[in-house]
Amino acid sequence: MQTLYAFKGSESDDFSKDQKFLLFSIDNMYNLYLLLISLLIEVQKRAEEDLQKKQNKHLATKEDKDPNRKFVNNQLLKGLCENLQLKNQLEANKINYWELDGEYVDVVFKAITSSDLYKEYMKTRVSDFHEDKEFIVDVFKEIIAPNEKLYDYLEDKNLTWLDDLPTVNTTILKLLRKSKANVAEGFFVPQLYKDIEDKQFAIDLFKKTLLNRTAINEEIDLKTQNWDADRIANVDYVLLQMAICELKNFPSIPVKVTINEYLEISKEYSTPKSSIFINGILDKLVKEYEASSKLKKVGRGLM
């Protein structure tokens, strides 16, 4: 949607650069995932450094000399730190942001250690994997994901990351919740694409929407004759173009799935009434396609 929205050319223009940007943006979602996972690793390291400093103080207290190492020894955090495949991915993708921007690690570390979650967790000195996992899940959900300073940092680093953030946060939470003490090495190194067809879908939807823009726009115009063109949000127009392209050119995708997907996107990115407008236009078009047998769907339950 964003790449199509930004495209200013016509159907006959070369859009290879735009397609390259589309794939670059998708790949960057994986880097965001690695960045946030690596933040957990850096927080564990920061906790270890904090204990070392306290133990080395000239006037160290009894508590400083014999600290509660429960957080530092958290089994899930330790598992992330020792995961070789994850380490290799971080190195391959050059995820070394926290080396230069360590103050944000401190911000998150202080937010964790000053929280009631942390105080409750640290009431004992030992724990099993289940307790360690539940604590990290709660920390990520309640402290890291909603952290405003971290949000501002990500916005400054890469503007497209803000749109990817909800998906990435949800993915990380799912993986943390499903993790086990003997989790496989590759567990925290998920695939960006389900398969090669998944990636090709993004390319095909982008290209086919652009290449059929004139015909698609004519269909939209016929259904919006009673609307002032200036009243139709540009985002709504792009979403209608994509939805119509998907309805007509992707026979394996159910009609309801297509419509629901674009309604949800409109709720996130467009006006409060956009979803009603888009739903009305698509509903009329689908009925016409069905009546004229233009809607070619294959497989069970695809209507």
Side-chain angles (χ1 to χ4, degrees), residues 201 205 208-209 212-220 240-255 258 262 282 285-286 288-290 292-298:
F201 167 74
L205 179 59
K208 288 180 180 180
T209 300
N212 293 283
R213 242 180 180 181
T214 299
I216 292 173
N217 287 348
E218 289 176 359
E219 291 196 63
I220 296 173
L240 281 171
Q241 290 171 342
M242 295 173 69
I244 293 169
C245 177
E246 192 171 300
L247 286 168
K248 298 180 75 173
N249 295 285
F250 295 85
S252 65
I253 301 177
V255 170
T258 294
Y262 289 99
L282 293 180
L285 285 171
V286 166
E288 288 186 7
Y289 295 157
E290 290 173 346
S292 59
S293 299
K294 289 182 180 180
L295 207 57
K296 308 293 184 182
K297 294 293 180 179
V298 295

mmCIF file of all heavy atoms in Angstrom, residues 201 205 208-209 212-220 240-255 258 262 282 285-286 288-290 292-298:
data_model
loop_
_atom_site.group_PDB
_atom_site.id
_atom_site.type_symbol
_atom_site.label_atom_id
_atom_site.label_comp_id
_atom_site.label_asym_id
_atom_site.label_seq_id
_atom_site.Cartn_x
_atom_site.Cartn_y
_atom_site.Cartn_z
ATOM 1 N N PHE A 201 3.891 -13.326 -4.056
ATOM 2 C CA PHE A 201 2.580 -12.686 -3.947
ATOM 3 C C PHE A 201 2.727 -11.174 -3.786
ATOM 4 O O PHE A 201 2.001 -10.394 -4.414
ATOM 5 C CB PHE A 201 1.795 -13.262 -2.763
ATOM 6 C CG PHE A 201 0.577 -12.447 -2.407
ATOM 7 C CD1 PHE A 201 -0.555 -12.479 -3.210
ATOM 8 C CD2 PHE A 201 0.564 -11.628 -1.291
ATOM 9 C CE1 PHE A 201 -1.677 -11.720 -2.904
ATOM 10 C CE2 PHE A 201 -0.553 -10.857 -0.973
ATOM 11 C CZ PHE A 201 -1.680 -10.914 -1.787
ATOM 12 N N LEU A 205 1.204 -8.714 -6.595
ATOM 13 C CA LEU A 205 0.134 -7.773 -6.239
ATOM 14 C C LEU A 205 0.550 -6.348 -6.584
ATOM 15 O O LEU A 205 -0.246 -5.570 -7.123
ATOM 16 C CB LEU A 205 -0.203 -7.883 -4.752
ATOM 17 C CG LEU A 205 -1.300 -6.940 -4.238
ATOM 18 C CD1 LEU A 205 -2.608 -7.171 -4.990
ATOM 19 C CD2 LEU A 205 -1.503 -7.113 -2.746
ATOM 20 N N LYS A 208 0.793 -6.151 -10.652
ATOM 21 C CA LYS A 208 -0.500 -6.262 -11.337
ATOM 22 C C LYS A 208 -1.409 -5.070 -11.021
ATOM 23 O O LYS A 208 -2.197 -4.655 -11.865
ATOM 24 C CB LYS A 208 -1.178 -7.577 -10.961
ATOM 25 C CG LYS A 208 -0.499 -8.789 -11.588
ATOM 26 C CD LYS A 208 -1.181 -10.098 -11.212
ATOM 27 C CE LYS A 208 -0.470 -11.283 -11.871
ATOM 28 N NZ LYS A 208 -1.098 -12.574 -11.546
ATOM 29 N N THR A 209 -1.291 -4.541 -9.812
ATOM 30 C CA THR A 209 -2.086 -3.351 -9.481
ATOM 31 C C THR A 209 -1.638 -2.170 -10.326
ATOM 32 O O THR A 209 -2.469 -1.428 -10.868
ATOM 33 C CB THR A 209 -1.945 -3.013 -7.976
ATOM 34 O OG1 THR A 209 -2.394 -4.108 -7.193
ATOM 35 C CG2 THR A 209 -2.784 -1.795 -7.628
ATOM 36 N N ASN A 212 -2.537 -2.600 -14.168
ATOM 37 C CA ASN A 212 -3.967 -2.565 -14.491
ATOM 38 C C ASN A 212 -4.664 -1.342 -13.900
ATOM 39 O O ASN A 212 -5.885 -1.312 -13.788
ATOM 40 C CB ASN A 212 -4.644 -3.844 -13.982
ATOM 41 C CG ASN A 212 -4.180 -5.080 -14.723
ATOM 42 O OD1 ASN A 212 -4.594 -5.327 -15.850
ATOM 43 N ND2 ASN A 212 -3.311 -5.841 -14.089
ATOM 44 N N ARG A 213 -3.882 -0.338 -13.569
ATOM 45 C CA ARG A 213 -4.419 0.830 -12.870
ATOM 46 C C ARG A 213 -5.527 1.541 -13.658
ATOM 47 O O ARG A 213 -6.557 1.916 -13.089
ATOM 48 C CB ARG A 213 -3.285 1.828 -12.578
ATOM 49 C CG ARG A 213 -3.072 2.056 -11.104
ATOM 50 C CD ARG A 213 -1.970 3.036 -10.866
ATOM 51 N NE ARG A 213 -1.782 3.253 -9.439
ATOM 52 C CZ ARG A 213 -0.883 4.085 -8.930
ATOM 53 N NH1 ARG A 213 -0.082 4.757 -9.738
ATOM 54 N NH2 ARG A 213 -0.758 4.232 -7.629
ATOM 55 N N THR A 214 -5.313 1.730 -14.952
ATOM 56 C CA THR A 214 -6.294 2.465 -15.759
ATOM 57 C C THR A 214 -7.649 1.768 -15.746
ATOM 58 O O THR A 214 -8.690 2.399 -15.491
ATOM 59 C CB THR A 214 -5.798 2.615 -17.210
ATOM 60 O OG1 THR A 214 -4.567 3.347 -17.210
ATOM 61 C CG2 THR A 214 -6.834 3.355 -18.055
ATOM 62 N N ALA A 215 -7.647 0.465 -15.997
ATOM 63 C CA ALA A 215 -8.894 -0.301 -16.025
ATOM 64 C C ALA A 215 -9.545 -0.348 -14.645
ATOM 65 O O ALA A 215 -10.774 -0.224 -14.521
ATOM 66 C CB ALA A 215 -8.627 -1.716 -16.529
ATOM 67 N N ILE A 216 -8.719 -0.500 -13.625
ATOM 68 C CA ILE A 216 -9.242 -0.545 -12.251
ATOM 69 C C ILE A 216 -9.853 0.798 -11.876
ATOM 70 O O ILE A 216 -10.936 0.863 -11.282
ATOM 71 C CB ILE A 216 -8.120 -0.929 -11.258
ATOM 72 C CG1 ILE A 216 -7.687 -2.381 -11.477
ATOM 73 C CG2 ILE A 216 -8.587 -0.732 -9.813
ATOM 74 C CD1 ILE A 216 -6.474 -2.802 -10.664
ATOM 75 N N ASN A 217 -9.168 1.882 -12.238
ATOM 76 C CA ASN A 217 -9.671 3.222 -11.918
ATOM 77 C C ASN A 217 -11.018 3.496 -12.591
ATOM 78 O O ASN A 217 -11.881 4.171 -12.027
ATOM 79 C CB ASN A 217 -8.661 4.288 -12.333
ATOM 80 C CG ASN A 217 -7.449 4.318 -11.419
ATOM 81 O OD1 ASN A 217 -7.449 3.695 -10.352
ATOM 82 N ND2 ASN A 217 -6.410 5.032 -11.819
ATOM 83 N N GLU A 218 -11.181 2.973 -13.804
ATOM 84 C CA GLU A 218 -12.463 3.147 -14.501
ATOM 85 C C GLU A 218 -13.587 2.466 -13.734
ATOM 86 O O GLU A 218 -14.701 2.992 -13.631
ATOM 87 C CB GLU A 218 -12.358 2.584 -15.928
ATOM 88 C CG GLU A 218 -11.494 3.434 -16.853
ATOM 89 C CD GLU A 218 -11.319 2.815 -18.229
ATOM 90 O OE1 GLU A 218 -11.872 1.704 -18.450
ATOM 91 O OE2 GLU A 218 -10.637 3.425 -19.073
ATOM 92 N N GLU A 219 -13.296 1.281 -13.181
ATOM 93 C CA GLU A 219 -14.306 0.567 -12.396
ATOM 94 C C GLU A 219 -14.653 1.351 -11.130
ATOM 95 O O GLU A 219 -15.828 1.447 -10.743
ATOM 96 C CB GLU A 219 -13.794 -0.830 -12.021
ATOM 97 C CG GLU A 219 -13.676 -1.786 -13.191
ATOM 98 C CD GLU A 219 -13.554 -3.226 -12.740
ATOM 99 O OE1 GLU A 219 -14.500 -3.726 -12.108
ATOM 100 O OE2 GLU A 219 -12.502 -3.845 -12.990
ATOM 101 N N ILE A 220 -13.631 1.900 -10.497
ATOM 102 C CA ILE A 220 -13.857 2.681 -9.275
ATOM 103 C C ILE A 220 -14.681 3.926 -9.594
ATOM 104 O O ILE A 220 -15.640 4.263 -8.879
ATOM 105 C CB ILE A 220 -12.523 3.082 -8.618
ATOM 106 C CG1 ILE A 220 -11.759 1.834 -8.156
ATOM 107 C CG2 ILE A 220 -12.765 4.007 -7.421
ATOM 108 C CD1 ILE A 220 -10.351 2.118 -7.655
ATOM 109 N N LEU A 240 -8.631 0.413 -2.717
ATOM 110 C CA LEU A 240 -9.601 -0.127 -3.679
ATOM 111 C C LEU A 240 -8.892 -0.725 -4.889
ATOM 112 O O LEU A 240 -9.279 -1.796 -5.395
ATOM 113 C CB LEU A 240 -10.564 0.981 -4.125
ATOM 114 C CG LEU A 240 -11.690 1.328 -3.154
ATOM 115 C CD1 LEU A 240 -12.428 2.582 -3.607
ATOM 116 C CD2 LEU A 240 -12.667 0.166 -3.003
ATOM 117 N N GLN A 241 -7.859 -0.053 -5.378
ATOM 118 C CA GLN A 241 -7.089 -0.584 -6.508
ATOM 119 C C GLN A 241 -6.510 -1.959 -6.179
ATOM 120 O O GLN A 241 -6.608 -2.903 -6.972
ATOM 121 C CB GLN A 241 -5.950 0.379 -6.862
ATOM 122 C CG GLN A 241 -6.402 1.686 -7.489
ATOM 123 C CD GLN A 241 -5.257 2.680 -7.611
ATOM 124 O OE1 GLN A 241 -4.224 2.555 -6.965
ATOM 125 N NE2 GLN A 241 -5.453 3.695 -8.456
ATOM 126 N N MET A 242 -5.908 -2.069 -5.002
ATOM 127 C CA MET A 242 -5.300 -3.325 -4.590
ATOM 128 C C MET A 242 -6.358 -4.416 -4.397
ATOM 129 O O MET A 242 -6.159 -5.563 -4.820
ATOM 130 C CB MET A 242 -4.518 -3.127 -3.293
ATOM 131 C CG MET A 242 -3.321 -2.205 -3.427
ATOM 132 S SD MET A 242 -2.557 -1.850 -1.825
ATOM 133 C CE MET A 242 -1.861 -3.451 -1.402
ATOM 134 N N ALA A 243 -7.453 -4.061 -3.760
ATOM 135 C CA ALA A 243 -8.508 -5.037 -3.482
ATOM 136 C C ALA A 243 -9.117 -5.574 -4.780
ATOM 137 O O ALA A 243 -9.324 -6.789 -4.927
ATOM 138 C CB ALA A 243 -9.582 -4.411 -2.603
ATOM 139 N N ILE A 244 -9.395 -4.683 -5.720
ATOM 140 C CA ILE A 244 -9.973 -5.101 -6.999
ATOM 141 C C ILE A 244 -8.993 -5.987 -7.752
ATOM 142 O O ILE A 244 -9.374 -7.015 -8.341
ATOM 143 C CB ILE A 244 -10.368 -3.872 -7.839
ATOM 144 C CG1 ILE A 244 -11.522 -3.130 -7.162
ATOM 145 C CG2 ILE A 244 -10.754 -4.276 -9.270
ATOM 146 C CD1 ILE A 244 -11.813 -1.764 -7.750
ATOM 147 N N CYS A 245 -7.722 -5.599 -7.750
ATOM 148 C CA CYS A 245 -6.684 -6.412 -8.396
ATOM 149 C C CYS A 245 -6.632 -7.803 -7.769
ATOM 150 O O CYS A 245 -6.559 -8.812 -8.480
ATOM 151 C CB CYS A 245 -5.331 -5.711 -8.274
ATOM 152 S SG CYS A 245 -3.962 -6.660 -8.961
ATOM 153 N N GLU A 246 -6.693 -7.858 -6.451
ATOM 154 C CA GLU A 246 -6.619 -9.142 -5.746
ATOM 155 C C GLU A 246 -7.850 -9.997 -6.045
ATOM 156 O O GLU A 246 -7.734 -11.216 -6.254
ATOM 157 C CB GLU A 246 -6.487 -8.896 -4.240
ATOM 158 C CG GLU A 246 -6.114 -10.132 -3.443
ATOM 159 C CD GLU A 246 -5.779 -9.800 -2.002
ATOM 160 O OE1 GLU A 246 -4.834 -9.012 -1.778
ATOM 161 O OE2 GLU A 246 -6.462 -10.324 -1.107
ATOM 162 N N LEU A 247 -9.013 -9.391 -6.060
ATOM 163 C CA LEU A 247 -10.250 -10.123 -6.353
ATOM 164 C C LEU A 247 -10.202 -10.778 -7.729
ATOM 165 O O LEU A 247 -10.618 -11.925 -7.906
ATOM 166 C CB LEU A 247 -11.451 -9.176 -6.281
ATOM 167 C CG LEU A 247 -11.919 -8.740 -4.893
ATOM 168 C CD1 LEU A 247 -12.917 -7.592 -5.014
ATOM 169 C CD2 LEU A 247 -12.531 -9.899 -4.125
ATOM 170 N N LYS A 248 -9.667 -10.056 -8.712
ATOM 171 C CA LYS A 248 -9.722 -10.512 -10.099
ATOM 172 C C LYS A 248 -8.518 -11.344 -10.542
ATOM 173 O O LYS A 248 -8.616 -12.114 -11.502
ATOM 174 C CB LYS A 248 -9.869 -9.297 -11.028
ATOM 175 C CG LYS A 248 -11.149 -8.504 -10.784
ATOM 176 C CD LYS A 248 -11.266 -7.309 -11.705
ATOM 177 C CE LYS A 248 -11.629 -7.706 -13.104
ATOM 178 N NZ LYS A 248 -11.912 -6.522 -13.963
ATOM 179 N N ASN A 249 -7.390 -11.186 -9.858
ATOM 180 C CA ASN A 249 -6.161 -11.822 -10.349
ATOM 181 C C ASN A 249 -5.560 -12.889 -9.436
ATOM 182 O O ASN A 249 -4.563 -13.502 -9.793
ATOM 183 C CB ASN A 249 -5.091 -10.742 -10.592
ATOM 184 C CG ASN A 249 -5.470 -9.790 -11.702
ATOM 185 O OD1 ASN A 249 -5.396 -10.131 -12.884
ATOM 186 N ND2 ASN A 249 -5.889 -8.589 -11.334
ATOM 187 N N PHE A 250 -6.164 -13.121 -8.286
ATOM 188 C CA PHE A 250 -5.628 -14.111 -7.358
ATOM 189 C C PHE A 250 -6.739 -15.092 -6.976
ATOM 190 O O PHE A 250 -7.400 -14.939 -5.939
ATOM 191 C CB PHE A 250 -5.032 -13.428 -6.123
ATOM 192 C CG PHE A 250 -3.844 -12.572 -6.433
ATOM 193 C CD1 PHE A 250 -4.001 -11.245 -6.851
ATOM 194 C CD2 PHE A 250 -2.554 -13.080 -6.358
ATOM 195 C CE1 PHE A 250 -2.913 -10.456 -7.165
ATOM 196 C CE2 PHE A 250 -1.453 -12.293 -6.663
ATOM 197 C CZ PHE A 250 -1.631 -10.973 -7.063
ATOM 198 N N PRO A 251 -6.970 -16.085 -7.825
ATOM 199 C CA PRO A 251 -8.102 -17.005 -7.662
ATOM 200 C C PRO A 251 -8.082 -17.853 -6.384
ATOM 201 O O PRO A 251 -9.123 -18.336 -5.959
ATOM 202 C CB PRO A 251 -8.016 -17.897 -8.906
ATOM 203 C CG PRO A 251 -6.601 -17.788 -9.371
ATOM 204 C CD PRO A 251 -6.186 -16.393 -9.047
ATOM 205 N N SER A 252 -6.934 -18.014 -5.770
ATOM 206 C CA SER A 252 -6.867 -18.866 -4.576
ATOM 207 C C SER A 252 -7.207 -18.128 -3.289
ATOM 208 O O SER A 252 -7.314 -18.750 -2.221
ATOM 209 C CB SER A 252 -5.469 -19.491 -4.456
ATOM 210 O OG SER A 252 -4.493 -18.484 -4.237
ATOM 211 N N ILE A 253 -7.368 -16.803 -3.375
ATOM 212 C CA ILE A 253 -7.672 -16.015 -2.170
ATOM 213 C C ILE A 253 -9.185 -15.797 -2.076
ATOM 214 O O ILE A 253 -9.784 -15.232 -2.982
ATOM 215 C CB ILE A 253 -6.947 -14.654 -2.192
ATOM 216 C CG1 ILE A 253 -5.433 -14.856 -2.275
ATOM 217 C CG2 ILE A 253 -7.302 -13.848 -0.942
ATOM 218 C CD1 ILE A 253 -4.634 -13.573 -2.364
ATOM 219 N N PRO A 254 -9.807 -16.236 -0.980
ATOM 220 C CA PRO A 254 -11.259 -16.082 -0.827
ATOM 221 C C PRO A 254 -11.682 -14.613 -0.857
ATOM 222 O O PRO A 254 -10.954 -13.736 -0.386
ATOM 223 C CB PRO A 254 -11.539 -16.699 0.548
ATOM 224 C CG PRO A 254 -10.392 -17.608 0.805
ATOM 225 C CD PRO A 254 -9.213 -16.973 0.152
ATOM 226 N N VAL A 255 -12.872 -14.368 -1.398
ATOM 227 C CA VAL A 255 -13.405 -13.010 -1.485
ATOM 228 C C VAL A 255 -13.481 -12.371 -0.104
ATOM 229 O O VAL A 255 -13.070 -11.217 0.085
ATOM 230 C CB VAL A 255 -14.808 -13.034 -2.143
ATOM 231 C CG1 VAL A 255 -15.472 -11.663 -2.022
ATOM 232 C CG2 VAL A 255 -14.701 -13.436 -3.605
ATOM 233 N N THR A 258 -10.095 -11.224 1.191
ATOM 234 C CA THR A 258 -9.646 -9.990 0.529
ATOM 235 C C THR A 258 -10.358 -8.773 1.110
ATOM 236 O O THR A 258 -9.707 -7.792 1.512
ATOM 237 C CB THR A 258 -9.902 -10.064 -0.991
ATOM 238 O OG1 THR A 258 -9.081 -11.082 -1.563
ATOM 239 C CG2 THR A 258 -9.580 -8.730 -1.661
ATOM 240 N N TYR A 262 -8.613 -5.597 3.544
ATOM 241 C CA TYR A 262 -8.523 -4.179 3.167
ATOM 242 C C TYR A 262 -9.366 -3.287 4.068
ATOM 243 O O TYR A 262 -9.035 -2.112 4.270
ATOM 244 C CB TYR A 262 -8.865 -4.001 1.684
ATOM 245 C CG TYR A 262 -7.763 -4.550 0.813
ATOM 246 C CD1 TYR A 262 -7.869 -5.815 0.233
ATOM 247 C CD2 TYR A 262 -6.575 -3.844 0.642
ATOM 248 C CE1 TYR A 262 -6.830 -6.349 -0.507
ATOM 249 C CE2 TYR A 262 -5.542 -4.366 -0.109
ATOM 250 C CZ TYR A 262 -5.665 -5.619 -0.678
ATOM 251 O OH TYR A 262 -4.620 -6.151 -1.401
ATOM 252 N N LEU A 282 -16.743 -2.427 -2.828
ATOM 253 C CA LEU A 282 -16.322 -3.802 -3.117
ATOM 254 C C LEU A 282 -17.514 -4.754 -3.149
ATOM 255 O O LEU A 282 -17.552 -5.681 -3.969
ATOM 256 C CB LEU A 282 -15.307 -4.267 -2.068
ATOM 257 C CG LEU A 282 -13.950 -3.550 -2.076
ATOM 258 C CD1 LEU A 282 -13.050 -4.105 -0.990
ATOM 259 C CD2 LEU A 282 -13.268 -3.676 -3.437
ATOM 260 N N LEU A 285 -19.154 -4.402 -6.526
ATOM 261 C CA LEU A 285 -18.318 -4.983 -7.577
ATOM 262 C C LEU A 285 -18.352 -6.510 -7.548
ATOM 263 O O LEU A 285 -18.437 -7.156 -8.593
ATOM 264 C CB LEU A 285 -16.877 -4.478 -7.444
ATOM 265 C CG LEU A 285 -16.629 -3.033 -7.890
ATOM 266 C CD1 LEU A 285 -15.236 -2.581 -7.505
ATOM 267 C CD2 LEU A 285 -16.822 -2.900 -9.404
ATOM 268 N N VAL A 286 -18.274 -7.078 -6.349
ATOM 269 C CA VAL A 286 -18.289 -8.540 -6.224
ATOM 270 C C VAL A 286 -19.588 -9.114 -6.778
ATOM 271 O O VAL A 286 -19.588 -10.126 -7.494
ATOM 272 C CB VAL A 286 -18.089 -8.966 -4.753
ATOM 273 C CG1 VAL A 286 -18.433 -10.448 -4.565
ATOM 274 C CG2 VAL A 286 -16.650 -8.720 -4.319
ATOM 275 N N GLU A 288 -21.455 -7.830 -9.081
ATOM 276 C CA GLU A 288 -21.406 -7.702 -10.552
ATOM 277 C C GLU A 288 -20.493 -8.765 -11.151
ATOM 278 O O GLU A 288 -20.818 -9.360 -12.193
ATOM 279 C CB GLU A 288 -20.919 -6.308 -10.946
ATOM 280 C CG GLU A 288 -21.940 -5.217 -10.702
ATOM 281 C CD GLU A 288 -21.482 -3.869 -11.231
ATOM 282 O OE1 GLU A 288 -20.430 -3.816 -11.910
ATOM 283 O OE2 GLU A 288 -22.169 -2.860 -10.962
ATOM 284 N N TYR A 289 -19.336 -8.992 -10.516
ATOM 285 C CA TYR A 289 -18.400 -10.012 -11.008
ATOM 286 C C TYR A 289 -19.058 -11.391 -11.003
ATOM 287 O O TYR A 289 -18.906 -12.178 -11.943
ATOM 288 C CB TYR A 289 -17.139 -10.049 -10.144
ATOM 289 C CG TYR A 289 -16.285 -8.801 -10.194
ATOM 290 C CD1 TYR A 289 -15.405 -8.494 -9.151
ATOM 291 C CD2 TYR A 289 -16.330 -7.932 -11.278
ATOM 292 C CE1 TYR A 289 -14.608 -7.369 -9.177
ATOM 293 C CE2 TYR A 289 -15.541 -6.794 -11.324
ATOM 294 C CZ TYR A 289 -14.682 -6.517 -10.261
ATOM 295 O OH TYR A 289 -13.893 -5.394 -10.284
ATOM 296 N N GLU A 290 -19.782 -11.674 -9.919
ATOM 297 C CA GLU A 290 -20.438 -12.978 -9.795
ATOM 298 C C GLU A 290 -21.530 -13.134 -10.850
ATOM 299 O O GLU A 290 -21.679 -14.199 -11.469
ATOM 300 C CB GLU A 290 -21.025 -13.140 -8.390
ATOM 301 C CG GLU A 290 -19.972 -13.298 -7.301
ATOM 302 C CD GLU A 290 -20.571 -13.289 -5.905
ATOM 303 O OE1 GLU A 290 -21.752 -12.902 -5.752
ATOM 304 O OE2 GLU A 290 -19.847 -13.667 -4.961
ATOM 305 N N SER A 292 -21.688 -11.740 -13.762
ATOM 306 C CA SER A 292 -21.117 -11.827 -15.115
ATOM 307 C C SER A 292 -20.029 -12.891 -15.226
ATOM 308 O O SER A 292 -19.316 -12.949 -16.229
ATOM 309 C CB SER A 292 -20.548 -10.464 -15.520
ATOM 310 O OG SER A 292 -19.548 -10.051 -14.613
ATOM 311 N N SER A 293 -19.874 -13.706 -14.173
ATOM 312 C CA SER A 293 -18.884 -14.805 -14.145
ATOM 313 C C SER A 293 -17.447 -14.306 -14.319
ATOM 314 O O SER A 293 -16.596 -14.998 -14.890
ATOM 315 C CB SER A 293 -19.203 -15.839 -15.242
ATOM 316 O OG SER A 293 -20.482 -16.393 -15.031
ATOM 317 N N LYS A 294 -17.188 -13.082 -13.865
ATOM 318 C CA LYS A 294 -15.823 -12.543 -13.942
ATOM 319 C C LYS A 294 -14.978 -12.931 -12.735
ATOM 320 O O LYS A 294 -13.770 -12.720 -12.739
ATOM 321 C CB LYS A 294 -15.873 -11.014 -14.038
ATOM 322 C CG LYS A 294 -16.386 -10.481 -15.362
ATOM 323 C CD LYS A 294 -16.347 -8.968 -15.384
ATOM 324 C CE LYS A 294 -16.851 -8.417 -16.714
ATOM 325 N NZ LYS A 294 -16.821 -6.928 -16.726
ATOM 326 N N LEU A 295 -15.643 -13.483 -11.736
ATOM 327 C CA LEU A 295 -14.931 -13.839 -10.511
ATOM 328 C C LEU A 295 -14.530 -15.303 -10.586
ATOM 329 O O LEU A 295 -15.377 -16.200 -10.448
ATOM 330 C CB LEU A 295 -15.831 -13.585 -9.301
ATOM 331 C CG LEU A 295 -15.148 -13.285 -7.968
ATOM 332 C CD1 LEU A 295 -14.212 -12.083 -8.077
ATOM 333 C CD2 LEU A 295 -16.184 -13.035 -6.898
ATOM 334 N N LYS A 296 -13.264 -15.573 -10.822
ATOM 335 C CA LYS A 296 -12.780 -16.949 -10.986
ATOM 336 C C LYS A 296 -12.024 -17.363 -9.710
ATOM 337 O O LYS A 296 -10.861 -17.031 -9.523
ATOM 338 C CB LYS A 296 -11.848 -17.049 -12.201
ATOM 339 C CG LYS A 296 -12.423 -16.489 -13.497
ATOM 340 C CD LYS A 296 -13.590 -17.310 -14.003
ATOM 341 C CE LYS A 296 -14.081 -16.778 -15.350
ATOM 342 N NZ LYS A 296 -15.251 -17.519 -15.844
ATOM 343 N N LYS A 297 -12.726 -18.074 -8.861
ATOM 344 C CA LYS A 297 -12.098 -18.550 -7.629
ATOM 345 C C LYS A 297 -12.020 -20.072 -7.667
ATOM 346 O O LYS A 297 -12.938 -20.741 -8.141
ATOM 347 C CB LYS A 297 -12.901 -18.099 -6.405
ATOM 348 C CG LYS A 297 -12.908 -16.581 -6.204
ATOM 349 C CD LYS A 297 -11.525 -16.052 -5.845
ATOM 350 C CE LYS A 297 -11.528 -14.555 -5.643
ATOM 351 N NZ LYS A 297 -10.194 -14.040 -5.283
ATOM 352 N N VAL A 298 -10.905 -20.597 -7.141
ATOM 353 C CA VAL A 298 -10.714 -22.056 -7.153
ATOM 354 C C VAL A 298 -10.573 -22.556 -5.722
ATOM 355 O O VAL A 298 -10.112 -21.840 -4.825
ATOM 356 C CB VAL A 298 -9.456 -22.434 -7.961
ATOM 357 C CG1 VAL A 298 -9.631 -22.070 -9.427
ATOM 358 C CG2 VAL A 298 -8.209 -21.772 -7.388
#
